[in-house]
PDB file of all heavy atoms in Angstrom:
ATOM      1  N   GLY L   1     -54.542 -36.349 -68.954  1.00  0.00           N
ATOM      2  CA  GLY L   1     -53.971 -35.144 -68.370  1.00  0.00           C
ATOM      3  C   GLY L   1     -54.013 -34.001 -69.362  1.00  0.00           C
ATOM      4  O   GLY L   1     -55.023 -33.775 -70.024  1.00  0.00           O
ATOM      5  N   ILE L   2     -52.905 -33.305 -69.500  1.00  0.00           N
ATOM      6  CA  ILE L   2     -52.806 -32.183 -70.425  1.00  0.00           C
ATOM      7  C   ILE L   2     -52.176 -32.666 -71.728  1.00  0.00           C
ATOM      8  O   ILE L   2     -51.132 -33.321 -71.715  1.00  0.00           O
ATOM      9  CB  ILE L   2     -51.950 -31.049 -69.815  1.00  0.00           C
ATOM     10  CG1 ILE L   2     -52.595 -30.536 -68.517  1.00  0.00           C
ATOM     11  CG2 ILE L   2     -51.776 -29.907 -70.807  1.00  0.00           C
ATOM     12  CD1 ILE L   2     -51.733 -29.554 -67.761  1.00  0.00           C
ATOM     13  N   ALA L   3     -52.821 -32.365 -72.832  1.00  0.00           N
ATOM     14  CA  ALA L   3     -52.254 -32.680 -74.145  1.00  0.00           C
ATOM     15  C   ALA L   3     -51.352 -31.524 -74.564  1.00  0.00           C
ATOM     16  O   ALA L   3     -51.745 -30.356 -74.476  1.00  0.00           O
ATOM     17  CB  ALA L   3     -53.360 -32.884 -75.170  1.00  0.00           C
ATOM     18  N   ILE L   4     -50.143 -31.833 -74.984  1.00  0.00           N
ATOM     19  CA  ILE L   4     -49.176 -30.786 -75.317  1.00  0.00           C
ATOM     20  C   ILE L   4     -48.596 -31.020 -76.714  1.00  0.00           C
ATOM     21  O   ILE L   4     -48.649 -32.129 -77.245  1.00  0.00           O
ATOM     22  CB  ILE L   4     -48.036 -30.718 -74.282  1.00  0.00           C
ATOM     23  CG1 ILE L   4     -47.302 -32.064 -74.185  1.00  0.00           C
ATOM     24  CG2 ILE L   4     -48.566 -30.293 -72.910  1.00  0.00           C
ATOM     25  CD1 ILE L   4     -46.064 -32.043 -73.304  1.00  0.00           C
ATOM     26  N   SER L   5     -48.028 -29.979 -77.278  1.00  0.00           N
ATOM     27  CA  SER L   5     -47.402 -30.091 -78.601  1.00  0.00           C
ATOM     28  C   SER L   5     -46.173 -29.193 -78.679  1.00  0.00           C
ATOM     29  O   SER L   5     -46.119 -28.266 -79.498  1.00  0.00           O
ATOM     30  CB  SER L   5     -48.401 -29.717 -79.694  1.00  0.00           C
ATOM     31  OG  SER L   5     -48.962 -28.439 -79.431  1.00  0.00           O
ATOM     32  N   PRO L   6     -45.187 -29.423 -77.806  1.00  0.00           N
ATOM     33  CA  PRO L   6     -43.995 -28.577 -77.810  1.00  0.00           C
ATOM     34  C   PRO L   6     -43.093 -28.868 -79.014  1.00  0.00           C
ATOM     35  O   PRO L   6     -43.267 -29.868 -79.709  1.00  0.00           O
ATOM     36  CB  PRO L   6     -43.302 -28.961 -76.498  1.00  0.00           C
ATOM     37  CG  PRO L   6     -43.697 -30.398 -76.302  1.00  0.00           C
ATOM     38  CD  PRO L   6     -45.110 -30.486 -76.800  1.00  0.00           C
ATOM     39  N   ASN L   7     -42.121 -28.004 -79.214  1.00  0.00           N
ATOM     40  CA  ASN L   7     -41.131 -28.251 -80.261  1.00  0.00           C
ATOM     41  C   ASN L   7     -40.186 -29.374 -79.845  1.00  0.00           C
ATOM     42  O   ASN L   7     -39.681 -30.104 -80.698  1.00  0.00           O
ATOM     43  CB  ASN L   7     -40.335 -26.979 -80.554  1.00  0.00           C
ATOM     44  CG  ASN L   7     -41.194 -25.899 -81.188  1.00  0.00           C
ATOM     45  OD1 ASN L   7     -42.123 -26.209 -81.932  1.00  0.00           O
ATOM     46  ND2 ASN L   7     -40.920 -24.647 -80.884  1.00  0.00           N
ATOM     47  N   LEU L   8     -39.952 -29.492 -78.532  1.00  0.00           N
ATOM     48  CA  LEU L   8     -39.061 -30.540 -78.014  1.00  0.00           C
ATOM     49  C   LEU L   8     -39.638 -31.131 -76.733  1.00  0.00           C
ATOM     50  O   LEU L   8     -39.962 -30.392 -75.802  1.00  0.00           O
ATOM     51  CB  LEU L   8     -37.667 -29.959 -77.728  1.00  0.00           C
ATOM     52  CG  LEU L   8     -36.651 -30.875 -77.029  1.00  0.00           C
ATOM     53  CD1 LEU L   8     -36.344 -32.104 -77.874  1.00  0.00           C
ATOM     54  CD2 LEU L   8     -35.370 -30.110 -76.707  1.00  0.00           C
ATOM     55  N   TYR L   9     -39.795 -32.445 -76.697  1.00  0.00           N
ATOM     56  CA  TYR L   9     -40.288 -33.149 -75.509  1.00  0.00           C
ATOM     57  C   TYR L   9     -39.219 -34.150 -75.069  1.00  0.00           C
ATOM     58  O   TYR L   9     -38.846 -35.048 -75.831  1.00  0.00           O
ATOM     59  CB  TYR L   9     -41.598 -33.878 -75.803  1.00  0.00           C
ATOM     60  CG  TYR L   9     -42.177 -34.612 -74.605  1.00  0.00           C
ATOM     61  CD1 TYR L   9     -42.696 -33.902 -73.525  1.00  0.00           C
ATOM     62  CD2 TYR L   9     -42.203 -36.005 -74.555  1.00  0.00           C
ATOM     63  CE1 TYR L   9     -43.227 -34.555 -72.425  1.00  0.00           C
ATOM     64  CE2 TYR L   9     -42.747 -36.664 -73.458  1.00  0.00           C
ATOM     65  CZ  TYR L   9     -43.240 -35.947 -72.396  1.00  0.00           C
ATOM     66  OH  TYR L   9     -43.764 -36.594 -71.301  1.00  0.00           O
ATOM     67  N   ILE L  10     -38.706 -33.995 -73.858  1.00  0.00           N
ATOM     68  CA  ILE L  10     -37.683 -34.878 -73.317  1.00  0.00           C
ATOM     69  C   ILE L  10     -38.323 -35.740 -72.230  1.00  0.00           C
ATOM     70  O   ILE L  10     -38.771 -35.218 -71.201  1.00  0.00           O
ATOM     71  CB  ILE L  10     -36.497 -34.086 -72.733  1.00  0.00           C
ATOM     72  CG1 ILE L  10     -35.890 -33.182 -73.822  1.00  0.00           C
ATOM     73  CG2 ILE L  10     -35.433 -35.024 -72.178  1.00  0.00           C
ATOM     74  CD1 ILE L  10     -34.791 -32.259 -73.307  1.00  0.00           C
ATOM     75  N   ALA L  11     -38.400 -37.040 -72.465  1.00  0.00           N
ATOM     76  CA  ALA L  11     -39.035 -37.973 -71.526  1.00  0.00           C
ATOM     77  C   ALA L  11     -37.949 -38.751 -70.793  1.00  0.00           C
ATOM     78  O   ALA L  11     -37.161 -39.468 -71.416  1.00  0.00           O
ATOM     79  CB  ALA L  11     -39.958 -38.922 -72.270  1.00  0.00           C
ATOM     80  N   VAL L  12     -37.937 -38.617 -69.484  1.00  0.00           N
ATOM     81  CA  VAL L  12     -36.905 -39.261 -68.662  1.00  0.00           C
ATOM     82  C   VAL L  12     -37.548 -40.332 -67.779  1.00  0.00           C
ATOM     83  O   VAL L  12     -38.408 -40.022 -66.951  1.00  0.00           O
ATOM     84  CB  VAL L  12     -36.181 -38.224 -67.776  1.00  0.00           C
ATOM     85  CG1 VAL L  12     -35.074 -38.887 -66.964  1.00  0.00           C
ATOM     86  CG2 VAL L  12     -35.621 -37.087 -68.620  1.00  0.00           C
ATOM     87  N   GLY L  13     -37.168 -41.575 -67.978  1.00  0.00           N
ATOM     88  CA  GLY L  13     -37.695 -42.648 -67.138  1.00  0.00           C
ATOM     89  C   GLY L  13     -39.166 -42.918 -67.329  1.00  0.00           C
ATOM     90  O   GLY L  13     -39.858 -43.329 -66.394  1.00  0.00           O
ATOM     91  N   ILE L  14     -39.681 -42.693 -68.556  1.00  0.00           N
ATOM     92  CA  ILE L  14     -41.081 -42.946 -68.882  1.00  0.00           C
ATOM     93  C   ILE L  14     -41.127 -44.048 -69.927  1.00  0.00           C
ATOM     94  O   ILE L  14     -40.492 -43.938 -70.984  1.00  0.00           O
ATOM     95  CB  ILE L  14     -41.776 -41.681 -69.419  1.00  0.00           C
ATOM     96  CG1 ILE L  14     -41.713 -40.541 -68.395  1.00  0.00           C
ATOM     97  CG2 ILE L  14     -43.231 -41.975 -69.774  1.00  0.00           C
ATOM     98  CD1 ILE L  14     -42.273 -39.223 -68.898  1.00  0.00           C
ATOM     99  N   SER L  15     -41.871 -45.107 -69.660  1.00  0.00           N
ATOM    100  CA  SER L  15     -41.885 -46.255 -70.569  1.00  0.00           C
ATOM    101  C   SER L  15     -42.621 -45.952 -71.870  1.00  0.00           C
ATOM    102  O   SER L  15     -42.262 -46.446 -72.932  1.00  0.00           O
ATOM    103  CB  SER L  15     -42.528 -47.467 -69.884  1.00  0.00           C
ATOM    104  OG  SER L  15     -43.884 -47.181 -69.546  1.00  0.00           O
ATOM    105  N   GLY L  16     -43.675 -45.133 -71.783  1.00  0.00           N
ATOM    106  CA  GLY L  16     -44.402 -44.754 -72.991  1.00  0.00           C
ATOM    107  C   GLY L  16     -45.683 -45.524 -73.208  1.00  0.00           C
ATOM    108  O   GLY L  16     -45.932 -46.038 -74.304  1.00  0.00           O
ATOM    109  N   ALA L  17     -46.519 -45.598 -72.182  1.00  0.00           N
ATOM    110  CA  ALA L  17     -47.830 -46.242 -72.330  1.00  0.00           C
ATOM    111  C   ALA L  17     -48.651 -45.463 -73.348  1.00  0.00           C
ATOM    112  O   ALA L  17     -48.457 -44.260 -73.545  1.00  0.00           O
ATOM    113  CB  ALA L  17     -48.556 -46.275 -70.984  1.00  0.00           C
ATOM    114  N   ILE L  18     -49.596 -46.143 -73.996  1.00  0.00           N
ATOM    115  CA  ILE L  18     -50.367 -45.534 -75.076  1.00  0.00           C
ATOM    116  C   ILE L  18     -51.115 -44.298 -74.608  1.00  0.00           C
ATOM    117  O   ILE L  18     -51.266 -43.318 -75.349  1.00  0.00           O
ATOM    118  CB  ILE L  18     -51.347 -46.568 -75.693  1.00  0.00           C
ATOM    119  CG1 ILE L  18     -51.975 -46.013 -76.967  1.00  0.00           C
ATOM    120  CG2 ILE L  18     -52.407 -46.995 -74.684  1.00  0.00           C
ATOM    121  CD1 ILE L  18     -51.018 -45.800 -78.097  1.00  0.00           C
ATOM    122  N   GLN L  19     -51.567 -44.290 -73.347  1.00  0.00           N
ATOM    123  CA  GLN L  19     -52.295 -43.129 -72.826  1.00  0.00           C
ATOM    124  C   GLN L  19     -51.376 -41.911 -72.716  1.00  0.00           C
ATOM    125  O   GLN L  19     -51.794 -40.777 -72.919  1.00  0.00           O
ATOM    126  CB  GLN L  19     -52.908 -43.439 -71.450  1.00  0.00           C
ATOM    127  CG  GLN L  19     -54.021 -44.459 -71.484  1.00  0.00           C
ATOM    128  CD  GLN L  19     -53.511 -45.887 -71.390  1.00  0.00           C
ATOM    129  OE1 GLN L  19     -52.301 -46.135 -71.451  1.00  0.00           O
ATOM    130  NE2 GLN L  19     -54.420 -46.828 -71.227  1.00  0.00           N
ATOM    131  N   HIS L  20     -50.113 -42.167 -72.378  1.00  0.00           N
ATOM    132  CA  HIS L  20     -49.159 -41.058 -72.286  1.00  0.00           C
ATOM    133  C   HIS L  20     -48.829 -40.543 -73.685  1.00  0.00           C
ATOM    134  O   HIS L  20     -48.806 -39.334 -73.929  1.00  0.00           O
ATOM    135  CB  HIS L  20     -47.884 -41.511 -71.570  1.00  0.00           C
ATOM    136  CG  HIS L  20     -46.906 -40.400 -71.331  1.00  0.00           C
ATOM    137  ND1 HIS L  20     -47.020 -39.513 -70.279  1.00  0.00           N
ATOM    138  CD2 HIS L  20     -45.807 -40.000 -72.030  1.00  0.00           C
ATOM    139  CE1 HIS L  20     -46.034 -38.633 -70.327  1.00  0.00           C
ATOM    140  NE2 HIS L  20     -45.282 -38.906 -71.386  1.00  0.00           N
ATOM    141  N   LEU L  21     -48.583 -41.466 -74.595  1.00  0.00           N
ATOM    142  CA  LEU L  21     -48.240 -41.091 -75.965  1.00  0.00           C
ATOM    143  C   LEU L  21     -49.335 -40.250 -76.612  1.00  0.00           C
ATOM    144  O   LEU L  21     -49.052 -39.349 -77.398  1.00  0.00           O
ATOM    145  CB  LEU L  21     -47.983 -42.337 -76.811  1.00  0.00           C
ATOM    146  CG  LEU L  21     -46.759 -43.183 -76.437  1.00  0.00           C
ATOM    147  CD1 LEU L  21     -46.680 -44.408 -77.329  1.00  0.00           C
ATOM    148  CD2 LEU L  21     -45.486 -42.356 -76.554  1.00  0.00           C
ATOM    149  N   ALA L  22     -50.584 -40.545 -76.273  1.00  0.00           N
ATOM    150  CA  ALA L  22     -51.707 -39.824 -76.867  1.00  0.00           C
ATOM    151  C   ALA L  22     -51.650 -38.335 -76.560  1.00  0.00           C
ATOM    152  O   ALA L  22     -52.116 -37.518 -77.346  1.00  0.00           O
ATOM    153  CB  ALA L  22     -53.025 -40.403 -76.369  1.00  0.00           C
ATOM    154  N   GLY L  23     -51.079 -37.982 -75.424  1.00  0.00           N
ATOM    155  CA  GLY L  23     -51.037 -36.573 -75.031  1.00  0.00           C
ATOM    156  C   GLY L  23     -49.794 -35.834 -75.459  1.00  0.00           C
ATOM    157  O   GLY L  23     -49.727 -34.608 -75.342  1.00  0.00           O
ATOM    158  N   VAL L  24     -48.780 -36.547 -75.968  1.00  0.00           N
ATOM    159  CA  VAL L  24     -47.512 -35.890 -76.315  1.00  0.00           C
ATOM    160  C   VAL L  24     -47.074 -36.154 -77.756  1.00  0.00           C
ATOM    161  O   VAL L  24     -46.053 -35.632 -78.189  1.00  0.00           O
ATOM    162  CB  VAL L  24     -46.379 -36.325 -75.351  1.00  0.00           C
ATOM    163  CG1 VAL L  24     -46.767 -36.056 -73.900  1.00  0.00           C
ATOM    164  CG2 VAL L  24     -46.017 -37.802 -75.533  1.00  0.00           C
ATOM    165  N   SER L  25     -47.835 -36.963 -78.481  1.00  0.00           N
ATOM    166  CA  SER L  25     -47.406 -37.382 -79.818  1.00  0.00           C
ATOM    167  C   SER L  25     -47.362 -36.243 -80.833  1.00  0.00           C
ATOM    168  O   SER L  25     -46.773 -36.393 -81.907  1.00  0.00           O
ATOM    169  CB  SER L  25     -48.309 -38.503 -80.345  1.00  0.00           C
ATOM    170  OG  SER L  25     -49.651 -38.064 -80.401  1.00  0.00           O
ATOM    171  N   SER L  26     -47.988 -35.101 -80.506  1.00  0.00           N
ATOM    172  CA  SER L  26     -47.942 -33.957 -81.419  1.00  0.00           C
ATOM    173  C   SER L  26     -46.652 -33.155 -81.269  1.00  0.00           C
ATOM    174  O   SER L  26     -46.447 -32.167 -81.984  1.00  0.00           O
ATOM    175  CB  SER L  26     -49.146 -33.037 -81.180  1.00  0.00           C
ATOM    176  OG  SER L  26     -50.347 -33.677 -81.540  1.00  0.00           O
ATOM    177  N   SER L  27     -45.773 -33.575 -80.357  1.00  0.00           N
ATOM    178  CA  SER L  27     -44.489 -32.890 -80.177  1.00  0.00           C
ATOM    179  C   SER L  27     -43.680 -33.003 -81.468  1.00  0.00           C
ATOM    180  O   SER L  27     -43.656 -34.053 -82.107  1.00  0.00           O
ATOM    181  CB  SER L  27     -43.706 -33.521 -79.026  1.00  0.00           C
ATOM    182  OG  SER L  27     -44.479 -33.542 -77.841  1.00  0.00           O
ATOM    183  N   LYS L  28     -42.994 -31.933 -81.835  1.00  0.00           N
ATOM    184  CA  LYS L  28     -42.230 -31.953 -83.088  1.00  0.00           C
ATOM    185  C   LYS L  28     -41.023 -32.890 -82.984  1.00  0.00           C
ATOM    186  O   LYS L  28     -40.702 -33.623 -83.920  1.00  0.00           O
ATOM    187  CB  LYS L  28     -41.788 -30.543 -83.443  1.00  0.00           C
ATOM    188  CG  LYS L  28     -42.933 -29.648 -83.911  1.00  0.00           C
ATOM    189  CD  LYS L  28     -42.424 -28.307 -84.376  1.00  0.00           C
ATOM    190  CE  LYS L  28     -43.563 -27.466 -84.976  1.00  0.00           C
ATOM    191  NZ  LYS L  28     -44.605 -27.154 -84.002  1.00  0.00           N
ATOM    192  N   VAL L  29     -40.323 -32.857 -81.852  1.00  0.00           N
ATOM    193  CA  VAL L  29     -39.172 -33.738 -81.631  1.00  0.00           C
ATOM    194  C   VAL L  29     -39.310 -34.377 -80.251  1.00  0.00           C
ATOM    195  O   VAL L  29     -39.546 -33.678 -79.258  1.00  0.00           O
ATOM    196  CB  VAL L  29     -37.836 -32.969 -81.709  1.00  0.00           C
ATOM    197  CG1 VAL L  29     -36.661 -33.892 -81.379  1.00  0.00           C
ATOM    198  CG2 VAL L  29     -37.639 -32.353 -83.089  1.00  0.00           C
ATOM    199  N   ILE L  30     -39.172 -35.703 -80.195  1.00  0.00           N
ATOM    200  CA  ILE L  30     -39.271 -36.439 -78.931  1.00  0.00           C
ATOM    201  C   ILE L  30     -37.932 -37.110 -78.635  1.00  0.00           C
ATOM    202  O   ILE L  30     -37.395 -37.840 -79.477  1.00  0.00           O
ATOM    203  CB  ILE L  30     -40.387 -37.505 -78.988  1.00  0.00           C
ATOM    204  CG1 ILE L  30     -41.759 -36.837 -79.149  1.00  0.00           C
ATOM    205  CG2 ILE L  30     -40.374 -38.374 -77.716  1.00  0.00           C
ATOM    206  CD1 ILE L  30     -42.913 -37.816 -79.315  1.00  0.00           C
ATOM    207  N   VAL L  31     -37.410 -36.844 -77.442  1.00  0.00           N
ATOM    208  CA  VAL L  31     -36.170 -37.467 -76.975  1.00  0.00           C
ATOM    209  C   VAL L  31     -36.502 -38.332 -75.770  1.00  0.00           C
ATOM    210  O   VAL L  31     -37.130 -37.855 -74.814  1.00  0.00           O
ATOM    211  CB  VAL L  31     -35.116 -36.404 -76.582  1.00  0.00           C
ATOM    212  CG1 VAL L  31     -33.865 -37.078 -76.019  1.00  0.00           C
ATOM    213  CG2 VAL L  31     -34.760 -35.536 -77.782  1.00  0.00           C
ATOM    214  N   VAL L  32     -36.098 -39.593 -75.814  1.00  0.00           N
ATOM    215  CA  VAL L  32     -36.409 -40.530 -74.732  1.00  0.00           C
ATOM    216  C   VAL L  32     -35.127 -41.003 -74.062  1.00  0.00           C
ATOM    217  O   VAL L  32     -34.167 -41.395 -74.734  1.00  0.00           O
ATOM    218  CB  VAL L  32     -37.194 -41.749 -75.284  1.00  0.00           C
ATOM    219  CG1 VAL L  32     -37.360 -42.815 -74.207  1.00  0.00           C
ATOM    220  CG2 VAL L  32     -38.557 -41.306 -75.811  1.00  0.00           C
ATOM    221  N   ILE L  33     -35.132 -40.956 -72.731  1.00  0.00           N
ATOM    222  CA  ILE L  33     -34.013 -41.471 -71.930  1.00  0.00           C
ATOM    223  C   ILE L  33     -34.572 -42.571 -71.035  1.00  0.00           C
ATOM    224  O   ILE L  33     -35.402 -42.314 -70.159  1.00  0.00           O
ATOM    225  CB  ILE L  33     -33.376 -40.351 -71.070  1.00  0.00           C
ATOM    226  CG1 ILE L  33     -32.874 -39.216 -71.967  1.00  0.00           C
ATOM    227  CG2 ILE L  33     -32.247 -40.905 -70.212  1.00  0.00           C
ATOM    228  CD1 ILE L  33     -32.482 -37.959 -71.197  1.00  0.00           C
ATOM    229  N   ASN L  34     -34.136 -43.810 -71.261  1.00  0.00           N
ATOM    230  CA  ASN L  34     -34.657 -44.940 -70.501  1.00  0.00           C
ATOM    231  C   ASN L  34     -33.638 -46.069 -70.527  1.00  0.00           C
ATOM    232  O   ASN L  34     -33.020 -46.325 -71.560  1.00  0.00           O
ATOM    233  CB  ASN L  34     -35.993 -45.412 -71.091  1.00  0.00           C
ATOM    234  CG  ASN L  34     -36.832 -46.204 -70.121  1.00  0.00           C
ATOM    235  OD1 ASN L  34     -36.399 -47.243 -69.630  1.00  0.00           O
ATOM    236  ND2 ASN L  34     -38.028 -45.718 -69.831  1.00  0.00           N
ATOM    237  N   LYS L  35     -33.486 -46.745 -69.398  1.00  0.00           N
ATOM    238  CA  LYS L  35     -32.493 -47.825 -69.350  1.00  0.00           C
ATOM    239  C   LYS L  35     -33.018 -49.129 -69.948  1.00  0.00           C
ATOM    240  O   LYS L  35     -32.241 -50.069 -70.173  1.00  0.00           O
ATOM    241  CB  LYS L  35     -32.029 -48.049 -67.911  1.00  0.00           C
ATOM    242  CG  LYS L  35     -33.090 -48.554 -66.943  1.00  0.00           C
ATOM    243  CD  LYS L  35     -32.496 -48.722 -65.557  1.00  0.00           C
ATOM    244  CE  LYS L  35     -33.522 -49.241 -64.553  1.00  0.00           C
ATOM    245  NZ  LYS L  35     -32.947 -49.394 -63.197  1.00  0.00           N
ATOM    246  N   ASP L  36     -34.338 -49.186 -70.213  1.00  0.00           N
ATOM    247  CA  ASP L  36     -34.927 -50.376 -70.826  1.00  0.00           C
ATOM    248  C   ASP L  36     -34.960 -50.206 -72.345  1.00  0.00           C
ATOM    249  O   ASP L  36     -35.743 -49.411 -72.863  1.00  0.00           O
ATOM    250  CB  ASP L  36     -36.344 -50.592 -70.297  1.00  0.00           C
ATOM    251  CG  ASP L  36     -37.038 -51.800 -70.926  1.00  0.00           C
ATOM    252  OD1 ASP L  36     -36.360 -52.563 -71.648  1.00  0.00           O
ATOM    253  OD2 ASP L  36     -38.254 -51.960 -70.699  1.00  0.00           O
ATOM    254  N   PRO L  37     -34.148 -50.940 -73.087  1.00  0.00           N
ATOM    255  CA  PRO L  37     -34.124 -50.772 -74.546  1.00  0.00           C
ATOM    256  C   PRO L  37     -35.425 -51.189 -75.227  1.00  0.00           C
ATOM    257  O   PRO L  37     -35.657 -50.846 -76.387  1.00  0.00           O
ATOM    258  CB  PRO L  37     -32.958 -51.671 -74.987  1.00  0.00           C
ATOM    259  CG  PRO L  37     -32.818 -52.675 -73.897  1.00  0.00           C
ATOM    260  CD  PRO L  37     -33.194 -51.964 -72.634  1.00  0.00           C
ATOM    261  N   GLU L  38     -36.282 -51.936 -74.500  1.00  0.00           N
ATOM    262  CA  GLU L  38     -37.557 -52.389 -75.064  1.00  0.00           C
ATOM    263  C   GLU L  38     -38.717 -51.464 -74.700  1.00  0.00           C
ATOM    264  O   GLU L  38     -39.877 -51.787 -74.986  1.00  0.00           O
ATOM    265  CB  GLU L  38     -37.871 -53.813 -74.556  1.00  0.00           C
ATOM    266  CG  GLU L  38     -36.825 -54.855 -74.911  1.00  0.00           C
ATOM    267  CD  GLU L  38     -36.640 -54.991 -76.413  1.00  0.00           C
ATOM    268  OE1 GLU L  38     -37.656 -54.940 -77.144  1.00  0.00           O
ATOM    269  OE2 GLU L  38     -35.481 -55.131 -76.861  1.00  0.00           O
ATOM    270  N   ALA L  39     -38.426 -50.343 -74.072  1.00  0.00           N
ATOM    271  CA  ALA L  39     -39.488 -49.402 -73.691  1.00  0.00           C
ATOM    272  C   ALA L  39     -40.246 -48.950 -74.944  1.00  0.00           C
ATOM    273  O   ALA L  39     -39.630 -48.567 -75.947  1.00  0.00           O
ATOM    274  CB  ALA L  39     -38.902 -48.192 -72.979  1.00  0.00           C
TER     275      ALA L  39
END
């Protein structure tokens, strides 16, 4: 999709597959909200 590099990335209900991480890993700060502690 679109590769982004924001100052703050808030991921809600996203497990974090490697393909997703590849497009957002340049974010300065990443906040994750997920009910699965093993995500």
Side-chain angles (χ1 to χ4, degrees):
I2 299 172
I4 58 173
S5 53
N7 293 327
L8 173 62
Y9 181 69
I10 302 175
V12 182
I14 301 175
S15 62
I18 190 66
Q19 292 87 352
H20 185 81
L21 294 178
V24 304
S25 59
S26 293
S27 305
K28 288 185 174 63
V29 176
I30 296 176
V31 177
V32 172
I33 301 169
N34 201 301
K35 65 180 181 180
D36 178 9
E38 301 300 320

